[in-house]
Amino acid sequence: MLGGTIKRKFWGRGSLLCIGTLLGLLISVLGALWGLNGWLAAYQGAEGWAGKNGSAGKNGVPEETLAESSVLRDPPKKADKNDSVIVEEVRGIIQTQYPLEIPPGVMDAASIDDMLLALGDPYACYMTQREFTDLMDVINMSFEGIGVALEAHRDGLVVSKVYQGSSAAEAGLCPGDVIVSVDGIDFGGMSLGESLSLLKGKAGTWIELSYCRGTERMTAHLERRVVILPQVEGEISGSVGYITLSSFGADVDQEFLKVVQTLRGQGAESWILDLRGNGGGLVESALTMLGFFIGDSDAVLWQTSKETAMEKAVRQAVSLDEPLIILSNEMTASASEIVIGALRDYEKASVLGGRSYGSGRFKQIYSLSNGDYFMMTVSQFLTPIHKVPVDFVGLAPDIRLSDEDAEKAAMLLLKSGTDQDKEKAQDKAQDKAQDKTQDQTGYLKWEIGAQSFCVNLADWRKEDNWRVGQTLMDQCFGSTLMSVGSVQGWLPISEEDLADRWRIYYPGYQLLGFRDMAETEPILIETSLPEGLESCLDHAELIDEASGRRIDVRCILKDQGLEVSPQEGLASDGVYWLIIENGEGQGGIGVLNGVEPVEP
């Protein structure tokens, strides 16, 4: 196949990677981070590093490719990168392998640093043996450390997670503990990098930690060990399987399969694939992961200035055909973008969150005669069907949401109402060609990308889901379509419905009237109640339109209309819905509009 030609060409001399722009920074700080869960700790905790500079994209090659390569077989020689032999090796690689036009000044540069500066490839770099080994450990989530993830804290480093089987777990460290010193050296006034550098060291060495738990100060003696973190983690919520994929390292497909089988055994019938913060991994691992969703179909288009070729996914024994939502953000890069691009092209997934990073290049790592390595761009990649470019622009989500909202929205869209409603709701969501006269009362339908999701209005109305529901509706005329259920079937959402959203939350309810809130209470709505609602006033509720918060209210029917007495103060500029219903999904709504204060 065409992909085979490309693979032989690119993989013939070393390791194929797909790495983001933080590689150089990653390499420069790995020494300071290695005493801990190195890269992961910085990734989660260094606000001025990963938080502001994007994703540490980290794609590579399959383990078997590395094992067969001279990269690992050749004994290292002692020449450094300024040795004339090494400089000429790098120059020859650029001259014969660089896929784009070589800028002026590269071929006559006196040093590797000067060559890289003239080349202008943001991904090109020189790596020592240690830096290469560190990078591959990062990809495979393997670290020498005490087994914790950390975040910056004013007094030191706060533990955000403790990994099973680590020395930290055995010593009893817990999330929330604040490490304040190591071997008697206090962290006060230190930067994150300085604090982490005190924790570095080889497996088998010991350190003494001092940490605070609440007001109590404690001490622990910990051994640094090799810690292998899970690339794939999963949990079940109702019938939704939530899978977090942190890296595309070796054997990620085996980890993924185990998690899928476990969650299916627990009742998973739809999936959330969380790729937020996943900067990539092995190219081959991305192709094997896609095999769970698209079999052995075309997966990614490789492109140079001279040729293009298609690489196929690797078919897996287990297939995932259920509804799928992918979460992405600005730190979703490289191999993650290969997966997102292909699944979008094949209409297998909807994407919520932020635009991905935009690391759309493959990079080749070449072994040098001194045992070190040189890496540079060898091709760009595009999505397989629609040939969407990725490099520098990233992939836009179907709905743009914050990290917090994306997670809640995905769960809300996939959770098909109560257990009693689940079967009915799933049938509605998956059958677009159903009879339009069928009764759909009590549901909303969302079409996001190529998938449909059916949401129980009872879930949509919950205060916990209110804000994310409002955010989704703000975008429902973008790449999404939204319909509200009725006895006649699905009815499209109009501009009027979006302006008066009570029509979406309580479709079919009768409007009792509007009333601007006066300075004094109670508030009188001049209306007559529909038949059957007079006896339901004791169960009326007042809802804050902005937050969904419920407010106790007392209603009395008088000759002039309905007297409404909130049991707490209302915001002068707020909007509130008065809901009165008969318990059978029928009722009325009164809308109370706040009055803006008048400036004196």
Side-chain angles (χ1 to χ4, degrees), residues 158-170:
V158 61
V159 176
S160 59
K161 188 171 184 177
V162 180
Y163 292 95
Q164 292 183 357
S166 66
S167 58
E170 292 175 3

Side-chain angles (χ1 to χ4, degrees), residues 477-543:
F477 285 144
S479 58
T480 66
L481 295 175
M482 182 180 177
S483 304
V484 61
S486 72
V487 293
Q488 291 84 27
W490 296 112
L491 302 177
I493 300 297
S494 67
E495 294 282 0
E496 182 183 19
D497 295 331
L498 286 174
D500 297 326
R501 292 188 177 177
W502 62 266
R503 301 176 187 274
I504 300 173
Y505 283 85
Y506 293 93
Y509 279 42
Q510 180 175 337
L511 178 62
L512 303 178
F514 293 90
R515 178 60 192 265
D516 289 338
M517 293 186 293
E519 294 293 330
T520 60
E521 296 177 352
I523 303 165
L524 183 67
I525 300 178
E526 297 179 356
T527 185
S528 58
L529 290 181
E531 183 178 352
L533 292 186
E534 296 91 340
S535 61
C536 302
L537 295 180
D538 289 343
H539 303 291
E541 61 179 350
L542 197 61
I543 302 175

